[in-house]
Amino acid sequence: MTVKRIVCHHQSVMFYVLGPLRISSGGPLIGPRGARDRTFLAELLAHSGSVVSAQHIVETVWPDRLPANRANALHVRISRLRSLFRDITGSDDAPQVISTHPEGYRIEPSWTDAARFEALVAEAERDRRTGAPAAAADKLAEALGLWQGDPYLDVTTGDCVTAEARRLTDLRLNALELQAEVLLSLGAHSEVVNRLSAVAGQYPLRERLHGHLITALHRAGRSAEALVAYAGLRTVLNEELGTEPNRHLRQLHQVVLTQQDAHQSTEPPAPPRPPAPVVDALFQLPPDIGDFVGRQDTVADLVAALAGRHDQALPIATVTGRGGSGKTALAVRAAHRLRGTFPDGQLYLDLHADREHPADPAEVLARVLVDLGMSRTAVPDGVERRSAAYRSVLANRRVLVLLDNARDEAQVQPLLPGTAGCAVLVTSRARLTGLAATCRTELRPLDPVGSRELLARIAGPERIATSPWSADEIASRCDHLPLALRIAGARLSARPYWSVSDLAARLADERCCLDELRHGTSTVRASLDADYRALAPHDRHLLHRLGTLGPARFTAAATAGLLEVRPGELLPALERLADVSLLDVESRHGADGVSFGFTNLTRVYARERARAEHPGPEGTGCP
């Protein structure tokens, strides 16, 4: 194996990472003997050109048990490596290949076969674009000839080396596809078949690679084999992703079927080269909140459901409940605890069901494809094609997708990955019973103890402890919902001269209750507005009338007479209000059937909407 070196001071050592980790100075290839030495060196090479902190190296080299004297342990490894460099080169300058810095250690970026590989591929790409395919073919052959196996083959890798190995493997596949394209332009059809036949089986979802193999088989006079190759690809895409081959592959299939001359100028263009991802992993989760209380068992259940082995089905967990019940906080906490299970990324997609215009899945897909490395011009049109591209990008990755604030199943379906290596966590006010979820969690309000603890964390434990009864009254007025409790606690914190009983009295006044539950951009009224917007006009009118009735609990049979409607007509309307959490479903109520009821906040809101939309002579403002 020949590697052209870039001349620089200390260019006496060359590192080989495209296969087993080896070192040379123009002679035999030698590898560090110890597994920890290889891990240490691999970590530096994976960050070549950058200083790697001593702490990071220690945690990677000794993942199970940190050494008692970390500085001494690092010094021993550095000394062993520098001694190896000295033996290889016979030069006392060799130890300076690894430079020491106050923050850690650094190795030069140009001293690897991987750097040479990337430089050759970049040169070949330029040759191809400038009309020199023969020169491009030579450089690609040299670049791919550097590979002696999987990157860092004999290294016990940490997360960073694993990510670098994955990046290099993706670059190798891109180079193989580019080489096939160049060789096809030179008429070397049989050579392309020989190079791609074995590789295609290892990467069944690389449509561009399979397209080149099908083209090469057809041009080499092996059309029957080309049709078999296409059928195999189509089966895999259907079974794994639920998609069809892309348009260019379907056109190529028709060319083979009709036995057209593949050299004619009317032949459809070769499948487009998918853009190489510019991001190895995305971690988009919002920060975990510090005042999370209770629900630890629920978090554990979600983590267990999504972290378990799923050989066939995509694991999906749903968290549902009324607005302000803490769905997002719970989901984000569980997702953060799954970071190690999904090392290839955690996507966070807010679907804005609480807004007047929820997110369009097609627009969400376009944004996430760009985030995942696709150029904007390469994003396909239409939700179906974008969904297929999204599933293809995620097919060989372990990624957690958090779909927050979903409107319904139709909004969620295009955003589901296609393989069981990924997982999905969805929050919604709707129950999403149409999703094939492996875990369903419906959030209830906090219990009184949790409510008081949340208030104490925000407003201060001493302050709440001075008036626990008033704190309990605040919690009750807030329906024990985390959103309302956080706002109430923030109001107390912002006004240290208020007593806890002062706020309790303000919340007891129905005319001002929702005005008090506003702090910054957070407001309970906005949360209830989102549910209200989902109602048809006649259901809104029913909510107004129910809010002005006396009882807080009622059945369809008992209320129908007051509203002058038949119970059979009223029950479906009450159920619709319950579906959007503006009514609670209590229980069976004797012979009268299901009992419905308002919470404190929804009743206040219903009466407020009734006054606003059917104004009377009485005043409606706060005193």
Side-chain angles (χ1 to χ4, degrees):
M1 174 170 55
T2 302
V3 177
K4 297 179 181 178
R5 299 179 181 176
I6 302 171
V7 177
C8 65
H9 59 282
H10 303 309
Q11 186 59 40
S12 54
V13 177
M14 188 73 189
F15 298 97
Y16 298 83
V17 302
L18 303 180
L21 179 56
R22 296 294 182 264
I23 310 166
S24 176
S25 182
L29 299 180
I30 300 173
R33 292 181 180 179
R36 294 193 194 278
D37 290 343
R38 290 195 297 273
T39 301
F40 191 129
L41 181 57
E43 199 66 31
L44 293 179
L45 291 169
H47 294 86
S48 61
S50 300
V51 175
V52 186
S53 72
Q55 179 66 24
H56 178 78
I57 293 175
V58 167
E59 291 174 352
T60 302
V61 177
W62 291 273
D64 301 323
R65 184 176 181 181
L66 299 180
N69 189 328
R70 302 180 189 182
N72 183 63
L74 285 174
H75 179 72
V76 169
R77 298 297 159 191
I78 285 290
S79 297
R80 285 162 62 97
L81 287 174
R82 286 175 172 168
S83 177
L84 176 62
F85 301 156
R86 190 162 37 240
D87 292 342
I88 290 172
T89 63
S91 169
D92 290 336
D93 288 338
Q96 298 308 313
V97 169
I98 298 176
S99 55
T100 303
H101 299 262
E103 302 85 0
Y105 303 93
R106 179 179 185 271
I107 201 165
E108 291 299 324
S110 59
W111 299 357
T112 67
D113 55 350
R116 179 61 184 159
F117 166 76
E118 293 190 60
L120 284 167
V121 172
E123 292 175 16
E125 179 67 64
R126 285 193 294 270
D127 288 340
R128 184 192 66 84
R129 287 199 304 265
T130 57
D138 290 342
K139 288 171 182 172
L140 286 166
E142 181 181 352
L144 292 166
L146 297 175
W147 285 76
Q148 301 298 309
D150 292 335
Y152 300 96
L153 182 61
D154 59 347
V155 177
T156 302
T157 59
D159 290 343
C160 295
V161 175
T162 299
E164 174 64 5
R166 186 184 300 113
R167 184 187 75 86
L168 291 171
T169 299
D170 285 343
L171 291 178
R172 183 194 182 201
L173 289 171
N174 289 338
L176 280 169
E177 291 166 347
L178 178 61
Q179 182 186 50
E181 183 179 329
V182 170
L183 291 175
L184 286 172
S185 71
L186 294 170
H189 310 138
S190 296
E191 185 177 350
V192 173
V193 172
N194 294 335
R195 290 178 179 274
L196 296 189
S197 293
V199 180
Q202 299 174 32
Y203 300 96
L205 301 177
R206 302 278 299 202
E207 291 183 84
R208 182 180 180 230
L209 187 150
H210 285 266
H212 288 328
L213 176 58
I214 293 166
T215 300
L217 285 167
H218 178 51
R219 293 182 181 179
R222 299 161 64 176
S223 296
E225 294 174 67
L227 292 173
V228 170
Y230 178 84
L233 172 65
R234 185 170 183 266
T235 298
V236 170
L237 291 175
N238 274 318
E239 291 179 353
E240 296 291 331
L241 306 179
T243 63
E244 291 290 323
N246 63 44
R247 177 174 58 87
H248 297 288
L249 280 170
R250 296 196 301 272
Q251 290 177 336
L252 177 60
H253 180 230
Q254 289 302 313
V255 170
V256 179
L257 279 175
T258 56
Q259 294 294 301
Q260 292 179 4
D261 183 0
H263 294 286
Q264 293 177 3
S265 61
T266 56
E267 179 189 308
R273 184 183 183 192
V278 297
V279 178
D280 288 322
L282 293 172
F283 295 95
Q284 300 177 328
L285 294 179
D288 195 2
I289 61 172
D291 56 17
F292 189 91
V293 300
R295 297 174 171 171
Q296 297 302 333
D297 290 343
T298 307
V299 172
D301 290 342
L302 287 173
V303 170
L306 295 174
R309 293 185 60 85
H310 301 275
D311 295 331
Q312 299 297 331
L314 172 73
I316 302 173
T318 62
V319 179
T320 59
R322 68 172 67 248
S325 59
K327 300 181 294 296
T328 298
L330 175 74
V332 168
R333 169 149 292 208
H336 275 289
R337 278 146 183 74
L338 287 162
R339 171 74 178 265
T341 306
F342 298 96
D344 296 326
Q346 293 175 307
L347 304 181
Y348 176 80
L349 307 176
D350 190 346
L351 303 185
H352 299 305
D354 56 344
R355 297 185 182 179
E356 188 171 356
H357 300 290
D360 181 351
E363 295 178 0
V364 173
L365 284 166
R367 185 174 67 253
V368 76
L369 284 171
V370 172
D371 288 345
L372 288 167
M374 183 176 288
S375 69
R376 295 184 185 277
T377 57
V379 174
D381 295 330
V383 66
E384 292 183 0
R385 295 185 63 200
R386 289 177 181 179
S387 183
Y390 165 73
R391 289 169 179 162
S392 295
V393 171
L394 297 184
N396 295 315
R397 301 186 182 188
R398 289 191 59 77
V399 172
L400 175 68
V401 181
L402 173 49
L403 303 176
D404 192 22
N405 207 2
R407 177 187 57 197
D408 52 28
E409 295 89 341
Q411 190 187 33
V412 168
Q413 287 288 355
L415 304 173
L416 299 179
T419 54
C422 296
V424 179
L425 180 53
V426 190
T427 74
S428 179
R429 301 182 186 210
R431 290 192 171 89
L432 303 178
T433 53
L435 282 183
T438 53
C439 174
R440 298 183 185 277
T441 300
E442 184 160 359
L443 282 192
R444 302 297 181 185
L446 293 173
D447 59 28
V449 173
S451 297
R452 192 188 295 179
E453 181 183 353
L454 182 54
L455 281 173
R457 289 197 180 188
I458 299 170
E462 298 83 1
R463 196 169 181 190
I464 297 301
T466 61
S467 187
W469 302 277
S470 295
D472 289 344
E473 184 178 353
I474 290 173
S476 178
R477 295 288 178 184
C478 290
D479 293 336
H480 299 281
L481 293 175
L483 172 64
L485 290 166
R486 282 196 175 89
I487 294 173
R491 294 272 285 168
L492 285 172
S493 182
R495 288 168 171 76
Y497 49 87
W498 279 7
S499 68
V500 178
S501 59
D502 285 338
L503 180 58
R506 287 171 175 267
L507 295 179
D509 187 341
E510 286 191 0
R511 295 171 299 171
C512 302
C513 178
L514 294 179
D515 289 324
E516 295 295 335
L517 290 175
R518 171 192 296 274
H519 185 76
T521 59
S522 298
T523 165
V524 169
R525 184 183 283 111
S527 178
L528 292 166
D529 282 341
D531 295 324
Y532 186 73
R533 282 195 299 268
L535 297 178
H538 53 277
D539 287 339
R540 294 182 183 183
H541 184 65
L542 173 61
L543 183 72
H544 303 160
R545 297 184 67 187
L546 291 171
T548 59
L549 293 177
R553 299 287 180 267
F554 45 82
T555 64
T559 309
L562 296 174
L563 299 177
E564 300 179 347
V565 296
R566 291 195 300 270
E569 295 176 354
L570 181 59
L571 181 59
L574 294 176
E575 290 175 339
R576 288 194 297 272
L577 293 177
D579 286 341
V580 295
S581 301
L582 288 171
L583 287 180
D584 281 344
V585 181
E586 293 295 314
S587 63
R588 303 291 300 183
H589 189 73
D592 290 337
V594 177
S595 174
F596 297 85
F598 281 112
T599 66
N600 176 65
L601 293 176
T602 54
R603 187 174 187 183
V604 169
Y605 181 80
R607 292 182 172 182
E608 179 182 277
R609 296 310 311 167
R611 289 194 298 269
E613 298 184 30
H614 310 285
E618 70 276 8
T620 60
C622 291

